[in-house]
């Protein structure tokens, strides 16, 4: 049995991840403690054959249909909260867990036939779930209950309100002819959305350059498969993101950078401009039919923002707030361009900023990212993160035996409250890449939290599916700093899920509004940029007495900050144009998506070429429509929330602040308004000032920006 050697005195709870298999407890060892807390622990009953997967999903859908029938068939004079609204949450929860399990199999199983069966099961679920809103018999029963004007409060009242809201948003409370029209419009919109996505995927644009045109690019680019296509001909695919970025960051020739930008920012122009115009008109029509004044109001109603106007004001305030930082960054890049081109009037264009940012970073902030990996051997990072999260959130993680493993190195952990010993849930770790596995990094719910009809609380089980660099011979898995940041982020989602106390599945864990769900995890990313935190676990694997030098951490932070103005102004430009496309619009007024968006790009970011059609290739406009603002929104809230730790005695390692996050944010989930939870956690109104400060708007500049009440709260 080995224990981590990098523990600080505050971390007395040692990680158990090195325990030998024979010594591991099982979930059964925790059943008594769970029963004492009136809670249930459950591991999924993992199917072992494709037939079993199919049968399991079929069975889950059949049970859900039966439950829907029961809701619909009851005597409308005798409806209760339990027999209507709660019954609906119960059945969607159960079938949702079945779909979660199929999703995990689809993303992780080593047998392609199992993955295919699971994929089909997930599809079957998705097809089925869209139909729930259109079960008129169920809606009638729920409506009949609502019409009794029941006196509900807290989470019950919220569940009732939001269930009715779902039906209203689906058009169920409209007269039949209008409802059918909305359904028809939605189908058309969905078809156009598919066309929009397909046109983006199909947009290929090879641009041929000579080696001289591409002077400045790394040799690895020229050697990449498919790039050298003739004696002095190099084919750059404008639609391949890493091709585009590599050229824009490195090509010394402005002509080259501009040429590629012109192609890139006009991708899918002919195909998608008309499609997007039709989509915007349809969305507007649907919003108007459903009684909203615009699509952004429809989309934001179920978010933290609540209205398009609030989202817009938030972004506008951020745009204004970072003006000084953006201006100073552009001025710095302009100096570099003036010096390089000997043109005193040189200006930074949209095809220049990546190149000159890269030049500046190389000159001022060069950090050897590869060498840094020696400080981040996977197991030490995992143990280190566990120690921190266990300590600040008052938790204990114990590795337990997994009765079924889809891979040998799958790990299962049980989480208990460290003060009371109450079991809170479990998580699986599947951390390294392999053929056929999900290829990103994410937390997946398997069994969500919920108060069951028998009064017991079902504790959650989740999985983290990641793709960290695998160990290589004698060398352990060495993570990049970004990998470490990702781990801290994703594990935050796992904790959000596991410690939940929400009564209803709909509100448990990470089932919070889309513009908030990332905020707590984005906040936790701060931890890995802090020397005090890093020193608790990051050490050279060849000589653990060596910590990351302070000047390197400072350089990394400076590099991140150096580009923050440009990075965010670009993000805000996308958020602004997305909201502008979806704001109030006359029903019979034609849309010109390019004329509506190009001036915003130029105003908020950098001058563009008028021939380009950025929006035709902006995939977020189908799926994140009137929602792109959410990225910046969550970032700003994350920075605001981080101040609670930053002002606390032990900073990011502060237990009181950690417990507050657990109680007010994680445990609450969406069981109350997220705005309320955030303000309870902050102990004050929300503010965008911490975000502005974080990206380098100092107190002096702050006075110049139009601060004051207009930027506080919302
Ligand atoms: Zn996330």
């Amino acid at each position: 049995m080995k224990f981590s050697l990098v523990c600080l005195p505050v971390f007395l709870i040692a990680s158990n991840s090195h325990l030998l298999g024979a010594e591991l407890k099982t979930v059964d060892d925790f059943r008594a403690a769970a029963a004492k807390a009136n809670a249930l622990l459950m591991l999924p009953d993992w199917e072992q054959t494709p037939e079993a997967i199919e049968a399991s999903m079929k069975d889950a859908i059949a049970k859900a249909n039966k439950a829907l029938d029961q809701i619909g068939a009851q005597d409308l004079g005798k409806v209760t909260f339990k027999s209507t609204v709660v019954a609906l949450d119960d059945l969607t929860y159960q079938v949702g867990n079945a779909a979660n399990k199929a999703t995990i199999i689809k993303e992780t199983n080593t047998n392609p036939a199992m993955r295919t069966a699971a994929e089909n099961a997930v599809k079957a679920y998705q097809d089925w779930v869209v139909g729930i809103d259109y079960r008129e018999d169920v809606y009638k029963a729920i409506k009949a209950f609502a019409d009794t004007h029941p006196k509900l409060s807290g989470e019950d009242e919220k569940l009732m309100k939001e269930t009715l809201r779902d039906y209203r948003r689906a058009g169920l409370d409209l007269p039949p002819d209008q409802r059918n029209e909305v359904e028809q419009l939605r189908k058309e919109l969905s078809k156009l959305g598919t066309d929009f996505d397909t046109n983006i995927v199909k947009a290929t644009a090879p641009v041929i350059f000579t080696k001289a045109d591409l002077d400045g690019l790394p040799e690895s680019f020229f050697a990449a498969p498919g790039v050298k296509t003739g004696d002095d001909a190099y084919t750059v695919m404008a639609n391949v993101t890493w091709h585009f970025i590599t050229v824009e960051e490195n090509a010394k020739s402005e002509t080259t950078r501009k040429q590629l930008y012109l192609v890139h920012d006009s991708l899918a122009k002919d195909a998608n401009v008309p499609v997007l115009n039709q989509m915007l008109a349809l969305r507007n029509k649907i919003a108007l039919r459903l009684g909203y004044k615009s699509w952004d109001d429809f989309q934001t109603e179920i978010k933290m923002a609540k209205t398009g106007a609030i989202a817009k004001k938030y972004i506008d305030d951020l745009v204004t707030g970072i003006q000084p930082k953006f201006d100073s960054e552009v001025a710095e890049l302009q100096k570099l361009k003036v010096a390089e081109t000997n043109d005193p009037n040189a200006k930074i264009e949209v095809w220049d900023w990546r190149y000159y940012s890269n030049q500046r970073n190389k000159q001022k902030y060069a950090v050897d990212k590869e060498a840094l990996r020696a400080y981040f051997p996977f197991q030490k990072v995992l143990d280190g993160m566990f120690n921190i999260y266990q300590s600040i959130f008052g938790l204990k993680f114990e590795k337990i035996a997994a009765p079924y493993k889809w891979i040998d190195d799958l790990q299962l952990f049980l989480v208990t409250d460290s003060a009371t010993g109450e079991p809170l849930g479990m998580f699986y770790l599947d951390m390294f890449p392999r053929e056929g596995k999900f290829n990103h990094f994410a937390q997946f719910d398997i069994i969500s939290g919920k108060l069951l009809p028998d009064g017991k609380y079902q504790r959650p089980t989740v999985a983290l599916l990641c793709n960290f660099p695998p160990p290589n011979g004698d060398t352990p898995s060495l993570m990049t700093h970004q990998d470490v940041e990702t781990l801290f982020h994703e594990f935050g989602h796992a904790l959000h899920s596991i410690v939940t106390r929400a009564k209803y599945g709909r509100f448990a864990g990470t089932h919070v509004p889309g513009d908030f769900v990332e905020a707590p995890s984005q906040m936790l990313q701060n931890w890995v940029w802090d020397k005090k935190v890093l020193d608790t676990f990051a050490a050279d694997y060849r000589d653990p007495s060596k910590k990351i030098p302070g000047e390197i951490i400072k350089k990394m932070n400076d590099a991140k900050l150096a580009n923050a103005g440009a990075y965010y102004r670009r993000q805000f430009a996308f958020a602004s144009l997305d909201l502008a496309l979806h704001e109030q619009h006359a029903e019979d007024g034609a849309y010109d998506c390019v004329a509506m968006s190009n001036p915003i790009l130029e105003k908020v970011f950098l001058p563009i070429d008028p021939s380009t059609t950025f929006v035709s290739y902006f995939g977020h406009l189908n799926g994140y429509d009137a929602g792109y603002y959410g990225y910046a929104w969550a970032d700003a809230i994350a920075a605001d929330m981080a101040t609670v730790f930053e002002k606390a005695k032990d900073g990011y390692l502060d237990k009181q602040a950690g417990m507050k996050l657990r109680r007010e944010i994680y445990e609450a989930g969406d069981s109350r308004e997220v705005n309320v939870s955030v303000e309870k956690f902050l102990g004050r109104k929300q503010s965008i000032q911490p975000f502005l400060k974080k990206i380098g708007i100092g107190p002096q500049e702050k006075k110049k920006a139009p601060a004051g009440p207009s930027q506080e709260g919302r």
Side-chain angles (χ1 to χ4, degrees):
M1 194 190 302
K2 282 185 292 180
F3 287 106
S4 169
L5 295 171
V6 290
C7 297
L8 284 183
V10 288
F11 303 128
L12 290 175
I13 314 153
S15 162
N16 292 317
S17 52
H18 295 289
L19 279 176
L20 297 173
E23 300 169 49
L24 292 182
K25 290 183 185 170
T26 72
V27 62
D28 290 334
D29 295 318
F30 295 85
R31 300 243 186 248
K36 215 176 116 194
N38 205 23
L40 281 180
L41 290 167
M42 189 161 76
L43 283 171
D45 186 8
W46 297 103
E47 284 81 25
Q48 311 286 332
T49 64
E51 296 74 32
I53 293 170
E54 194 192 340
S56 167
M57 197 68 234
K58 249 191 178 156
D59 180 52
I61 289 177
K63 280 189 180 135
N65 280 333
K66 209 175 141 209
L68 285 169
D69 293 345
Q70 267 172 12
I71 299 175
Q74 63 191 305
D75 179 347
L76 294 186
K78 291 182 185 159
V79 283
T80 65
F81 184 52
K82 234 181 153 169
S83 76
T84 56
V85 181
V86 177
L88 186 62
D89 188 71
D90 290 344
L91 76 92
T92 48
Y93 169 81
Q94 293 298 350
V95 68
N97 283 345
N100 290 343
K101 184 169 61 169
T103 303
I104 297 287
I105 297 174
K106 164 181 175 263
E107 302 293 359
T108 64
N109 207 278
T110 54
N111 176 350
M114 290 286 282
R115 293 200 300 270
T116 306
E119 194 178 338
N120 291 335
V122 173
K123 272 195 204 131
Y125 168 77
Q126 286 166 342
D127 288 345
W128 174 84
V129 84
V130 288
I132 293 191
D133 282 348
Y134 295 98
R135 284 283 305 244
E136 199 157 349
D137 55 339
V138 176
Y139 173 62
K140 272 191 180 141
I142 287 171
K143 187 79 181 12
F145 175 67
D147 289 344
T148 65
H149 301 290
K151 286 216 169 12
L152 298 171
S153 62
E155 195 174 341
D156 295 348
E157 187 188 12
K158 192 165 185 282
L159 183 70
M160 163 96 188
K161 252 173 62 185
E162 294 188 11
T163 304
L164 288 171
R165 191 179 72 184
D166 287 348
Y167 284 111
R168 179 168 47 75
R169 291 170 62 82
L172 266 270
D173 66 356
L174 295 175
D177 55 326
Q178 287 180 40
R179 183 196 313 167
N180 294 342
E181 191 195 354
V182 167
E183 230 186 305
Q184 200 49 47
L185 293 171
R186 278 187 171 281
K187 277 184 193 153
E188 272 176 61
L189 178 60
S190 154
K191 203 192 145 295
L192 284 170
T194 308
D195 292 348
F196 185 78
D197 290 346
T198 309
N199 291 337
I200 286 178
V201 174
K202 282 202 311 208
T204 54
V207 186
I208 297 165
F209 292 103
T210 65
K211 185 131 194 193
D213 293 334
L214 297 174
D215 186 25
L217 268 75
E219 275 312 311
S220 58
F221 183 83
F222 297 105
V227 171
K228 189 166 170 34
T229 46
D231 269 353
D232 189 18
Y234 296 86
T235 301
V236 176
M237 301 299 292
N239 57 297
V240 173
T241 305
W242 77 269
H243 276 203
F244 173 68
I245 304 262
T246 308
V247 171
E248 294 295 299
E249 281 185 349
N250 296 286
K252 289 183 182 167
S253 155
E254 182 173 351
T255 313
T256 297
R257 296 195 303 266
K258 183 172 180 184
Q259 191 187 340
L260 194 63
Y261 149 78
L262 287 173
V263 176
H264 179 269
D265 275 35
S266 306
L267 283 165
K269 180 180 188 169
D270 295 337
N272 264 350
V273 169
V275 172
L276 184 56
N277 285 334
Q278 288 177 65
M279 286 166 72
L280 296 172
L282 277 174
R283 285 174 183 158
N284 190 43
K285 224 178 204 176
I286 294 168
L288 294 174
R289 290 292 175 282
L290 291 170
Y292 298 83
K293 82 171 179 7
S294 55
W295 184 255
D296 62 353
D297 275 1
F298 174 73
Q299 290 290 72
T300 51
E301 180 189 27
I302 54 169
K303 306 279 181 66
M304 234 180 139
K306 301 275 187 269
T307 68
I310 293 176
K312 181 178 185 306
K313 179 172 177 348
Y314 199 71
I315 297 297
D316 286 350
D317 286 347
L318 290 170
V319 166
T320 313
I322 66 163
Q323 188 77 48
K325 170 74 171 137
F326 181 59
D327 289 345
S328 78
E329 280 180 26
V330 173
E332 190 187 8
L333 301 184
Q334 194 164 316
K335 263 190 211 155
L336 293 177
K337 188 171 179 183
V338 167
E340 194 180 278
T341 59
N342 287 320
D343 171 7
N345 299 317
K347 292 262 180 300
I348 293 296
E349 311 282 354
V350 77
W351 51 87
D352 288 328
W353 70 278
R354 283 193 175 91
Y355 174 77
Y356 289 104
S357 299
N358 188 28
Q359 297 299 105
R360 178 204 50 206
N361 289 355
K362 279 189 194 162
Q363 288 168 19
K364 286 170 74 174
Y365 311 110
V367 168
D368 185 344
K369 288 183 184 164
E370 278 304 300
L372 208 57
R373 290 167 63 149
Y375 295 95
F376 300 124
F378 172 78
Q379 193 61 49
K380 285 278 198 285
V381 173
L382 188 70
D383 290 345
M385 179 188 72
F386 279 2
N387 284 334
I388 291 167
Y389 286 167
Q390 287 178 113
S391 167
I392 64 176
F393 297 127
L395 301 169
K396 186 180 174 193
F397 308 154
E398 283 178 82
K399 186 171 170 177
I400 62 168
Y404 163 74
K405 288 178 165 191
W406 56 83
I407 44 154
D408 281 345
D409 63 348
L410 184 75
Q411 303 190 60
L412 176 64
F413 288 81
L414 196 133
V415 180
T416 49
D417 182 283
S418 61
T420 64
E422 177 191 358
L424 295 171
M426 288 175 276
F427 61 89
Y428 287 99
L429 298 182
D430 177 346
M431 304 306 253
F432 301 108
R434 63 179 173 272
E435 173 88 39
K437 182 186 156 182
F438 171 76
N439 61 5
H440 296 282
F441 301 78
Q443 188 263 164
F444 290 77
D445 276 4
I446 308 176
I447 296 166
S448 304
K450 178 172 163 68
L451 186 63
L452 299 175
D454 66 3
K456 291 198 172 73
Y457 198 95
Q458 175 62 62
R459 297 308 316 170
T461 298
V462 307
L464 230 62
L465 306 184
C466 298
N467 287 279
F468 295 118
N472 185 2
D474 286 344
T475 314
S477 159
L478 296 176
M479 302 166 85
T480 63
H481 180 253
Q482 199 188 340
D483 287 334
V484 180
E485 190 176 33
T486 302
L487 180 63
F488 272 69
H489 175 111
E490 296 305 337
F491 201 75
H493 290 314
L495 293 177
H496 198 167
S497 298
I498 288 171
V499 304
T500 193
R501 299 275 184 202
K503 277 203 298 197
Y504 301 113
R506 180 185 179 114
F507 297 141
T510 56
H511 299 155
V512 292
D515 52 1
F516 179 69
V517 65
E518 293 301 329
S521 278
Q522 274 164 261
M523 180 195 73
L524 290 172
Q525 288 175 213
N526 286 309
W527 271 234
V528 307
W529 295 83
D530 182 85
K531 180 153 171 64
K532 190 175 158 194
V533 173
L534 288 171
D535 280 352
T536 67
F537 66 87
D540 192 318
Y541 75 102
R542 295 154 301 195
D543 175 2
S545 71
K546 284 191 184 143
K547 306 280 184 194
I548 306 174
E551 63 270 25
I552 303 248
I553 297 174
K554 182 169 185 313
K555 240 187 198 179
M556 287 159 60
N557 277 289
D558 289 348
K560 190 165 70 154
L561 192 61
N563 199 37
Y567 172 81
Y568 278 109
R569 277 291 280 247
R570 188 163 165 268
Q571 289 294 309
F572 300 159
F574 299 162
S576 300
L577 71 86
D578 169 39
L579 287 169
L581 289 173
H582 295 106
E583 65 191 17
Q584 207 169 353
H585 196 95
E587 191 182 336
D588 47 10
Y591 275 87
D592 184 343
C593 59
V594 177
M596 291 167 84
S597 59
N598 273 0
I600 296 175
L601 267 181
E602 202 152 59
K603 195 174 136 219
V604 182
F605 193 46
L606 290 166
I608 60 161
D609 188 279
S611 72
T612 57
T613 58
F614 170 80
V615 287
S616 61
Y617 195 66
F618 188 36
H620 284 85
L621 290 174
N622 182 40
Y624 282 83
D625 38 297
Y628 196 87
Y629 79 90
Y631 290 104
W633 178 285
D635 265 355
I637 290 168
D640 204 10
M641 296 203 308
T643 60
V644 174
F645 285 93
E646 286 152 6
K647 286 180 181 155
K649 185 167 65 81
D650 291 321
Y652 293 139
L653 303 177
D654 194 85
K655 293 180 189 186
Q656 252 185 315
M659 283 309 285
K660 210 170 172 194
L661 185 82
R662 178 177 155 190
R663 300 274 188 249
E664 304 294 354
I665 304 288
Y666 285 163
E667 291 186 0
D670 201 25
S671 66
R672 64 178 176 203
E673 286 296 321
V674 169
N675 281 310
V676 172
S677 294
V678 171
E679 293 187 355
K680 276 189 186 280
F681 173 66
L682 293 172
R684 58 167 167 77
K685 290 253 169 251
Q686 295 172 48
S687 166
I688 61 169
Q689 294 307 330
F691 173 75
L692 295 177
K693 197 174 152 206
K694 190 179 161 211
I695 61 172
I697 308 289
Q700 316 93 306
E701 285 111 323
K702 207 169 84 187
K703 273 186 208 130
K704 281 186 242 153
S710 71
Q711 298 199 346
E712 297 287 330
R714 51 177 184 286

